[in-house]
Amino acid sequence: MADPQSNARLRADAGAPRSGVIHVRTRLTADFTVVANALAQRRGSAVTVGVAVYILSLPSGTPVTIAALCAHFTEGEILISRALRELEAAGYLERRRERTPSGQIRTRTYFYDVPGATPQPDPEGPPDPPVPPAADEPSAVAAREESSVALADADPEAVAVLASLRHVDARLVLSEREAVRLAPAVTAWLAAGVAPAQITRTLTTGLPDRFLTRPAGLLAFRLRETPLPAPPPPAPVARPAVPPLQTCDGCDRAFRAPGPGHCRDCRSAGTGLPAAA
């Protein structure tokens, strides 16, 4: 005998929406991250939201450089860099140059779950509170002056070649210090007769989809490992044209001249020359 069947409609769960997402929530007591709706529902790039949530989920002290993020995500360096710039412009991410107790300058990255919020002590034990160097601090002023002097001493044509690389590949953005460090190698190429356009092609052709180091490191490797072309051969020295041989009309002696006439001796002696009027 067949199983009994009912034509009555199933009663819908109380409060369940008729369309759209239905959440099935689980109460988490560990391994979770609190994300503000303003960030999770941010309009725009999904890569930007994904990078932000990933950074929020990391413990303090975890590297969040472009290379580290590229190693985690499948997106390339361009998309990751764009996401970080968007987060920085929106106030979620902040980069500060700070001085360590040993006197070294380093860049620290701060990430805010709410832009503009006052930093609170981290229970995970973050580093000491940042103490940015004063703008008029002698060491800061000296560092800026040293950078300006070094850039002024660099070959301007070499620096211009390096600065133009970002127009070919947007990832090849160099700082002043990196450009000054690479300029002597580019100057050597220019001195060897390599045109700036050829240097640009050599440095930008066949780049990998993902950089494992800073662009300056890759460019330094190519400048160091690519053999310099042989210097061009010297231009041949133009020799003066040799006049053809002529036969002297006065003494039948052979001499060189552009056209027929008398040799030097006959011209000096006046032999065979018409008398002066």
Side-chain angles (χ1 to χ4, degrees), residues 236-242:
V237 178
R239 296 183 178 180
V242 179

Side-chain angles (χ1 to χ4, degrees), residues 83-219:
L84 292 177
R85 289 195 299 269
E86 290 182 3
L87 292 172
E88 190 169 9
Y92 287 99
L93 185 144
E94 180 185 5
R95 296 184 177 95
R96 297 183 187 176
R97 290 176 59 82
E98 300 172 357
R99 185 178 303 279
T100 63
S102 61
Q104 296 179 341
I105 299 296
R106 66 180 178 183
T107 301
R108 279 181 174 168
T109 302
Y110 292 84
F111 202 90
Y112 299 84
D113 53 359
V114 177
T118 302
Q120 299 294 328
D122 193 335
E124 298 179 11
D128 296 334
V131 181
D136 57 350
E137 188 174 342
S139 57
V141 175
R144 289 195 299 268
E145 292 178 350
E146 180 182 355
S147 176
S148 300
V149 172
L151 185 61
D153 293 340
D155 182 1
E157 186 177 4
V159 173
V161 171
L162 293 168
S164 67
L165 298 179
R166 61 186 178 88
H167 298 299
V168 181
D169 192 319
R171 299 175 296 173
L172 300 178
V173 177
L174 303 174
S175 65
E176 288 186 2
R177 180 176 299 180
E178 291 171 335
V180 169
R181 181 165 56 88
L182 295 175
V186 177
T187 300
W189 283 45
L190 294 171
V194 185
Q198 178 61 34
I199 297 177
T200 300
R201 284 194 297 270
T202 302
L203 296 178
T204 58
T205 301
L207 292 175
D209 296 334
R210 179 179 301 176
F211 293 170
L212 300 180
T213 61
R214 286 278 302 168
L218 180 60
L219 296 176

